[in-house]
Amino acid sequence: MYDRVFEAFEEILRYGYTPNTYSRNIVMDVLFKIERVEVALRVLKETRVPNFLSYSIAVCNLCKLNDLVNLQDVLMIMLRKRYYPNEETFFVICNCYCKGGRIVEAKQILGLMIVLGVPICERVWSILINVYCKAGNMDAASHLLKKMVESGYLPNVVTCTSLIKGFFESRMPSKAFGILDTMETKGCFPDLVLCNVLIDCLSKMGRYEDAINAFFLLREQRLIPDSYTICSLITTLCLSKQFVELPLLITGFEIQPDLVACNSFLSYFCKAGYPAGAVQFYNDMIDRGFVADKYTFAGLLTGLCKSGRIGEAVKVYRGLLKSHVGLDSHIITVIINGLIKSGKFHKAISLIKKAASAKSQLDDVSYGIAISGLLTGGQVQEAYALFRQMKEVGLAPSKQTYNLILSVFCKGNDISMVKEILLEMVDASVEVDHFTLRFMKNLLYRFRHSTSLFTLLTDVSTSGILPREAYAELINELVHQVNISNVHTDRFSNLDVGTSSSDEIQEVAVSVGRGYRTMEQLPELIIQQKDSRNVVGSLNAE
């Protein structure tokens, strides 16, 4: 009832009374709570006889508001007046500095507590260790842990969680597992937060089996997974392609999913090759009262596109355009990707042009996926038009997009466009990648008499986007090939074309006694590169 507080204070003034410190403290507290910080600080300054509670109220509220600048000023005045915070307030101050990444100030607070004889509880040690772990300074975190133990405090599960997460993120898994083992020997067992951290960190390291084993800790400790657990588990299973394991793993748990977890299930159905299940799950979500967000709509659009229901997907997208001003780029990227993978190139181009003209929030990812998809479908001119449009609207193409465009022109023997893209890459300081370099090698061999092309490549090699070692190797191979061809006309030695995938099987396949063979002449190689995906066909039946 904050309004009544101000009314009562005004009545005190109207009747000629001078509000005492107690009433001014109350008004100041309310002003902080409604975030009128400057007014609250003025009340504190104008209080004739501020007491310990006055400063304590100000300090605690400033910590809640993460106002580190005003906190520093008020705390200095408080200490000069010899009003020293109690143990709980010191913890709040230290925690505020740590959350703000102000390690120096946090250490000063720790030193002040030691000087004043304020007991340093394990919570203070934990937050200091945590801030060093987040900063990646594991040496300092380990040093503080040692000091904590020497001070007579044993690290709890919260402290250990920070250390384990820090060591995993610093690529020191052996030390992380060492702490986990020490915990168990001391009778300190993982809680839900630590289990979630283990699943997430191990999955990001590619140790999928270990991540799944960490999920089994939940049953051992009789813990109930939350939405974060489900999201991390689904991510692990999708990355490891172990889609069929999900029903087996979550059976028996009473899961109360929120919107985030439901969106993860939508993504799971799409990636598991069961897009119809994603659409059905979306309908169930809406029936249960969930309000869809952009990730929900992304899952629905992906499910519709992968199910071949393109018309419905476009209708949903258009509905979103009408109901949402400035549609998120993620949604646009999803529908464009779905259309391109379904072969609807012209529809995809039309949508991205409309989105660009409507000044929607298109980003470099949207354009990059569209350009890559069009190139895969052989729509070179359309892809290049989007590439130019992307630059015109002020978006910088990624390294991958630049190299894709360059590779296509190399394969198409378009010398002028190769020169143009290379010069743009020099201006943008974008490196030529490993695969594109192979296509350039083939182009140079075919046009080895082009002086201008060799001159340009020499200049490019000094710009830094083409490593000098790679350039030297390239030139040496070409010179070697020319010498051999002078002796054995139309018969060439091995030339590395890097055919490691179907996208890389291009116009040149070489061996002694053979000339160039086009991709159409190599069907047997293309067949060997068939895409194989794990599909959960049995989920629908189950």
Side-chain angles (χ1 to χ4, degrees):
M1 300 171 67
Y2 297 149
D3 290 341
R4 296 295 179 90
V5 172
F6 295 132
E7 287 176 14
F9 190 77
E10 289 171 0
E11 286 295 310
I12 292 174
L13 296 173
R14 189 175 293 117
Y15 277 92
Y17 294 110
T18 300
N20 61 11
T21 302
Y22 174 75
S23 58
R24 294 182 71 87
N25 285 348
I26 294 173
V27 171
M28 180 179 62
D29 188 38
V30 171
L31 287 167
F32 275 121
K33 284 181 167 59
I34 62 174
E35 298 187 19
R36 298 289 302 277
V37 177
E38 295 304 321
V39 182
L41 291 173
R42 191 164 70 244
V43 170
L44 175 62
K45 186 177 180 180
E46 293 173 357
T47 300
R48 292 181 180 178
V49 190
N51 56 19
F52 169 82
L53 192 58
S54 307
Y55 292 106
S56 184
I57 289 170
V59 165
C60 290
N61 278 291
L62 289 169
C63 286
K64 289 178 183 177
L65 296 170
N66 296 316
D67 188 341
L68 299 178
V69 175
N70 284 318
L71 171 62
Q72 186 82 354
D73 295 338
V74 173
L75 187 58
M76 291 299 293
I77 296 171
M78 182 180 184
L79 295 173
R80 286 195 192 107
K81 289 183 175 290
R82 298 180 182 272
Y83 290 133
Y84 302 125
N86 58 21
E87 181 181 341
E88 184 62 31
T89 307
F90 265 126
F91 169 75
V92 171
I93 296 168
C94 191
N95 191 37
C96 180
Y97 279 128
C98 287
K99 286 194 297 182
R102 306 281 282 270
I103 301 177
V104 174
E105 287 86 346
K107 289 174 70 176
Q108 288 174 348
I109 294 298
L110 181 64
L112 182 60
M113 293 174 69
I114 294 171
V115 169
L116 295 175
V118 179
I120 303 174
C121 62
E122 61 185 21
R123 290 190 301 165
V124 174
W125 286 110
S126 294
I127 61 172
L128 287 169
I129 289 171
N130 182 56
V131 76
Y132 277 115
C133 290
K134 285 184 176 179
N137 191 346
M138 298 311 298
D139 289 336
S142 300
H143 178 71
L144 275 181
L145 177 65
K146 182 181 178 182
K147 291 291 184 183
M148 178 182 181
V149 174
E150 290 174 355
S151 301
Y153 292 97
L154 291 176
N156 57 19
V157 68
V158 176
T159 317
C160 293
T161 299
S162 298
L163 288 162
I164 289 170
K165 188 172 187 290
F167 280 124
F168 273 129
E169 291 177 347
S170 299
R171 298 291 174 181
M172 292 187 277
S174 59
K175 292 192 174 182
F177 284 120
I179 292 176
L180 192 62
D181 292 339
T182 304
M183 281 179 61
E184 293 178 353
T185 57
K186 300 291 184 181
C188 181
F189 297 102
D191 61 0
L192 181 60
V193 176
L194 179 51
C195 289
N196 290 344
V197 165
L198 288 171
I199 296 169
D200 181 59
C201 290
L202 290 167
S203 179
K204 287 177 179 176
M205 293 176 64
R207 300 178 62 159
Y208 304 122
E209 291 302 324
D210 288 335
I212 293 172
N213 289 334
F215 180 78
F216 289 128
L217 287 173
L218 296 173
R219 292 189 189 277
E220 294 177 11
Q221 302 301 321
R222 297 182 180 180
L223 300 170
I224 299 174
D226 59 8
S227 61
Y228 187 88
T229 318
I230 297 301
C231 294
S232 297
L233 179 64
I234 288 176
T235 300
T236 301
L237 295 175
C238 288
L239 289 172
S240 62
K241 310 295 184 185
Q242 300 182 58
F243 301 110
V244 294
E245 298 294 328
L246 182 61
L248 302 175
L249 290 171
I250 64 175
T251 299
F253 285 113
E254 294 182 5
I255 300 171
Q256 298 295 329
D258 58 10
L259 183 61
V260 175
C262 287
N263 289 342
S264 292
F265 278 111
L266 279 175
S267 176
Y268 162 77
F269 283 124
C270 293
K271 291 177 180 178
Y274 186 40
V279 178
Q280 181 182 341
F281 190 79
Y282 169 82
N283 293 330
D284 290 341
M285 285 176 60
I286 302 305
D287 291 342
R288 292 174 183 270
F290 284 99
V291 179
D293 64 3
K294 63 179 181 180
Y295 299 106
T296 315
F297 288 124
L300 172 63
L301 289 172
T302 304
L304 289 170
C305 289
K306 287 191 173 184
S307 299
R309 298 158 68 174
I310 302 299
E312 293 176 62
V314 173
K315 190 178 293 184
V316 169
Y317 173 73
R318 286 175 177 165
L320 289 172
L321 278 179
K322 292 178 181 178
S323 59
H324 293 73
V325 179
L327 200 61
D328 186 89
S329 61
H330 183 62
I331 299 292
I332 301 172
T333 303
V334 168
I335 187 68
I336 290 170
N337 190 39
L339 289 171
I340 287 175
K341 287 186 175 179
S342 301
K344 309 293 184 182
F345 300 112
H346 295 297
K347 176 65 72 175
I349 295 169
S350 174
L351 285 185
I352 199 166
K353 284 182 177 178
K354 286 180 180 178
S357 62
K359 296 184 179 179
S360 297
Q361 296 178 0
L362 285 173
D363 59 8
D364 57 333
V365 177
S366 309
Y367 277 102
I369 285 179
I371 291 168
S372 176
L374 290 171
L375 291 175
T376 302
Q379 310 289 314
V380 178
Q381 293 304 318
E382 291 82 355
Y384 183 66
L386 279 183
F387 177 77
R388 303 310 319 173
Q389 179 182 321
M390 178 183 186
K391 297 190 72 176
E392 287 168 6
V393 298
L395 292 173
S398 66
K399 177 182 176 180
Q400 182 183 12
T401 303
Y402 265 119
N403 278 280
L404 276 172
I405 292 289
L406 181 59
S407 297
V408 167
F409 288 128
C410 285
K411 290 182 282 185
N413 300 329
D414 194 331
I415 298 291
S416 62
M417 290 308 302
V418 168
K419 292 178 181 177
E420 181 179 325
I421 299 299
L422 273 174
L423 290 173
E424 288 187 19
M425 292 174 73
V426 170
D427 291 338
S429 299
V430 176
E431 291 184 358
V432 176
D433 66 22
H434 171 70
F435 297 108
T436 306
L437 191 61
R438 294 178 177 181
F439 296 128
M440 286 178 62
K441 187 187 299 183
N442 297 335
L443 178 70
L444 280 170
Y445 184 76
R446 291 194 291 275
F447 293 89
R448 58 186 176 275
H449 301 299
S450 173
T451 306
S452 62
L453 185 58
F454 269 94
T455 302
L456 174 63
L457 283 174
T458 303
D459 295 338
V460 167
S461 69
T462 62
S463 69
I465 73 163
L466 186 66
R468 292 190 179 185
E469 295 80 6
Y471 173 74
E473 182 183 350
L474 185 151
I475 295 299
N476 288 336
E477 286 194 23
L478 289 172
V479 171
H480 180 63
Q481 293 296 327
V482 171
N483 290 338
I484 291 178
S485 63
N486 288 335
V487 179
H488 303 286
T489 305
D490 295 328
R491 297 171 72 85
F492 312 114
S493 64
N494 290 340
L495 178 65
D496 179 15
V497 295
T499 53
S500 60
S501 72
S502 58
D503 289 337
E504 297 164 32
I505 300 173
Q506 298 302 327
E507 300 165 346
V508 186
V510 293
S511 61
V512 176
R514 296 183 183 180
Y516 288 112
R517 294 188 298 179
T518 63
M519 188 164 63
E520 290 77 55
Q521 292 172 308
L522 297 172
E524 69 278 4
L525 290 180
I526 298 174
I527 291 171
Q528 292 173 9
Q529 302 294 328
K530 282 185 177 178
D531 178 31
S532 60
R533 294 172 293 178
N534 291 322
V535 178
V536 190
S538 61
L539 282 177
N540 193 16
E542 291 174 4

